[in-house]
Amino acid sequence: MDNDIVPALLEQIQKEFEEQTLNSKKLKSVFSLLKNKKATYLDVNDFAIEVGEILADVLGRNITVDVLPDGKMYFNIAERILNPTMQNNFNLISDFAVDVQSQLNQEANLKLKGQKAELNQDKIDGIINRVSNESDFETIKWILDDPIINFSQSVVDDSIKANADFHYNAGLKPNIIRRLGGDACGWCKNLAGTYPYHSEPKEVYQRHERCRCTVDYRPSDARRQNVWTKAWRDPLKAEKIANRKTLNLKNKE
Ligand SMILES: [Zn+2]
């Protein structure tokens, strides 16, 4: 295609994103918490908001009506810019969450590896479709701001779900905790609380615009509860089953 703006634009976005993340004091501080074995999901949440804000900022400064052909973010542009950059945010956040979860497991004397969340490609597709369906980029550019941060936060929730699920299947009793963040509205105040995994309302993992409420999971708490119920089963068994499932999938390919 003549005048394909994407390669240079994507390169510039990725370069600026990398510079800003390398220089981020917030990211440095959560990495040092991880190093000192003090990180929790609240730090994963801070990590997610920071990389979300950096990406939103970089997208906002580089993608403007002036650089877009006909002032429109066509599907093939949106797709080739947002897929790699949002998937990169997913990988950064979910990998960090795996490291934190592995430490939390260790602290709780669980010989289990942290589980990695699955990418929610539907959420990325949703943003790509919305932004490219609009004929005037100016009216839709907000979608490259808070929704990008919101997506990044949702990776933390998906990581929590993946691990709570894994622990639940191992016989533990995980609790999901939602706490208020910033100026919380009535809807959020209603949702805040501690829920046994699988009895939490679906909305526990949802956020309205600019919502900074946090979702947390601590396996030590799941373990402690389990002592009382004496329903402790072999967690390694669950891991073996999970590995077997992966093997089965591989065999099917
Ligand atoms: Zn909220």
Side-chain angles (χ1 to χ4, degrees):
M1 207 209 311
D2 276 351
N3 291 326
D4 184 3
I5 62 160
V6 171
L9 186 59
L10 179 61
E11 199 184 301
Q12 183 62 23
I13 287 167
Q14 286 170 329
K15 195 182 120 212
E16 286 181 26
F17 178 84
E18 207 175 300
E19 280 168 5
Q20 286 197 39
T21 47
L22 282 173
N23 289 321
S24 161
K25 286 194 180 119
K26 276 187 195 159
L27 295 183
K28 275 180 193 145
S29 102
V30 290
F31 275 123
S32 86
L33 284 168
L34 178 73
K35 219 176 125 203
N36 296 319
K37 300 189 189 290
K38 294 241 182 318
T40 68
Y41 272 107
L42 300 181
D43 305 306
V44 185
N45 186 67
D46 286 345
F47 181 102
I49 290 177
E50 181 70 356
V51 295
E53 281 178 350
I54 292 173
L55 181 58
D57 175 64
V58 171
L59 291 174
R61 273 185 299 103
N62 284 285
I63 304 172
T64 59
V65 172
D66 312 330
V67 305
L68 295 171
D70 315 323
K72 179 176 155 64
M73 196 169 184
Y74 285 100
F75 181 82
N76 85 85
I77 296 175
E79 187 187 38
R80 287 183 296 150
I81 298 278
L82 296 177
N83 265 329
T85 53
M86 291 181 76
Q87 283 168 3
N88 182 52
N89 265 26
F90 164 79
N91 280 318
L92 291 173
I93 300 160
S94 57
D95 286 345
F96 186 70
V98 167
D99 289 343
V100 170
Q101 181 72 54
S102 297
Q103 278 188 5
L104 294 173
N105 288 351
Q106 213 175 17
E107 253 170 62
N109 286 319
L110 296 167
K111 289 193 178 64
L112 296 171
K113 272 188 224 152
Q115 303 295 303
K116 185 163 165 158
E118 252 177 71
L119 172 69
N120 190 333
Q121 182 65 40
D122 284 353
K123 281 199 173 138
I124 299 178
D125 292 345
I127 289 180
I128 292 171
N129 287 326
R130 273 292 264 121
V131 76
S132 58
N133 275 337
E134 200 72 49
S135 55
D136 175 18
F137 179 69
E138 214 41 61
T139 60
I140 191 69
K141 66 177 184 189
W142 59 267
I143 206 166
L144 301 184
D145 188 20
D146 195 62
I148 297 286
I149 301 162
N150 203 295
F151 165 79
S152 303
Q153 286 174 285
S154 75
V155 178
V156 187
D157 304 333
D158 290 345
S159 302
I160 288 178
K161 275 191 265 180
N163 285 281
D165 209 54
F166 189 57
H167 291 174
Y168 182 89
N169 291 331
L172 293 164
K173 299 269 181 285
N175 280 323
I176 302 298
I177 306 158
R178 177 163 167 139
R179 294 189 190 86
L180 299 175
D183 283 329
C185 60
W187 185 77
C188 285
K189 281 180 182 151
N190 260 327
L191 271 178
T194 301
Y195 305 91
Y197 185 64
H198 276 334
S199 76
E200 75 276 27
K202 210 171 59 202
E203 292 81 16
V204 161
Y205 307 106
Q206 291 172 5
R207 284 189 189 83
H208 53 79
E209 207 183 329
R210 314 235 165 245
C211 178
R212 292 293 177 265
C213 294
T214 57
V215 179
D216 195 5
Y217 170 52
R218 314 221 170 185
S220 54
D221 172 40
R223 179 83 199 247
R224 212 174 301 131
Q225 285 220 340
N226 205 260
V227 173
W228 297 105
T229 59
K230 295 196 193 298
W232 174 248
R233 280 181 266 148
D234 181 8
L236 284 175
K237 204 169 137 192
E239 192 162 35
K240 275 178 209 148
I241 292 168
N243 286 341
R244 217 174 298 140
K245 274 187 193 160
T246 330
L247 279 177
N248 285 342
L249 285 176
K250 278 185 191 145
N251 289 339
K252 272 180 205 159
E253 278 167 9

